[in-house]
Amino acid sequence: MKAVLVLCVVVAGALAQLPDSERIHLKQVHDSCQADRATYADESRLKQLNKYIDDAVVGNHMLCMSKKAGLQKGNGDLDIGVIKQKIALVTADKSKVDGLVKKCAVVNGNPQKTANLLWLCFVQNNIDYLHRL
């Protein structure tokens, strides 16, 4: 019985993993944002996003990431449909997707801070839509 439970957890985890093509795309997005002087941010700050929520440089980078990943539109507005799709890619329990979207897709201040908080919410809620720095 215990072995069946472990197998179910492993299978569920495998179903919720970010596809390699998407992970590669996110890495390319990150590299592209880092290559632009206007959106470059020190990697140590990005790895500690929770400490740099109000940092303009980090905000510019995260907004660049959000736009290129399709999570935010060109004008900085959140694209709820795309956010829902990306969360669903990595969420085994599809009944939780709408709740996670409501929790994470929140406009806060300006587009940069909204992007920072969106990505931080992904991390804090184990939404593995990340390329892993």
Side-chain angles (χ1 to χ4, degrees), residues 83-99:
I83 293 169
K84 184 175 183 174
Q85 176 190 28
K86 301 303 184 182
I87 290 175
L89 276 176
V90 295
T91 304
D93 184 350
K94 301 305 181 205
S95 69
K96 294 183 178 182
V97 171
D98 287 334

Side-chain angles (χ1 to χ4, degrees), residues 5-16:
L5 179 61
V6 171
L7 179 62
C8 288
V9 170
V10 170
V11 170
L15 294 175

Side-chain angles (χ1 to χ4, degrees), residues 22 47-48 61 65 90 99 108 123 125:
E22 195 75 19
K47 289 179 182 178
Q48 298 178 36
H61 175 82
M65 291 279 302
V90 295
N108 192 319
V123 170
N125 289 279

Side-chain angles (χ1 to χ4, degrees), residues 21-36 39-40 43 46 60-71 86 119 129-131 133:
S21 61
E22 195 75 19
R23 189 176 311 281
I24 291 166
H25 172 69
L26 282 173
K27 177 70 171 121
Q28 291 169 340
V29 164
H30 172 76
D31 291 347
S32 172
C33 292
Q34 286 295 73
D36 185 340
T39 57
Y40 172 83
E43 296 287 345
L46 298 176
N60 287 335
H61 175 82
M62 298 313 292
L63 179 60
C64 176
M65 291 279 302
S66 284
K67 285 181 177 180
K68 290 184 177 195
L71 304 174
K86 301 303 184 182
W119 289 102
Y129 187 72
L130 307 164
H131 64 83
L133 293 173

Side-chain angles (χ1 to χ4, degrees), residues 33-121:
C33 292
Q34 286 295 73
D36 185 340
R37 249 186 255 176
T39 57
Y40 172 83
D42 187 275
E43 296 287 345
S44 65
R45 289 182 177 200
L46 298 176
K47 289 179 182 178
Q48 298 178 36
L49 182 57
N50 61 325
K51 294 181 181 180
Y52 295 96
I53 291 300
D54 295 314
D55 186 285
V57 173
V58 171
N60 287 335
H61 175 82
M62 298 313 292
L63 179 60
C64 176
M65 291 279 302
S66 284
K67 285 181 177 180
K68 290 184 177 195
L71 304 174
Q72 286 178 262
K73 300 174 185 175
N75 64 1
D77 289 347
L78 294 169
D79 190 327
I80 302 302
V82 172
I83 293 169
K84 184 175 183 174
Q85 176 190 28
K86 301 303 184 182
I87 290 175
L89 276 176
V90 295
T91 304
D93 184 350
K94 301 305 181 205
S95 69
K96 294 183 178 182
V97 171
D98 287 334
L100 290 168
V101 171
K102 286 180 185 175
K103 186 174 191 175
C104 293
V106 177
V107 174
N108 192 319
N110 57 51
Q112 290 85 349
K113 187 166 184 179
T114 297
N116 281 351
L117 291 170
L118 175 65
W119 289 102
L120 181 61
C121 186

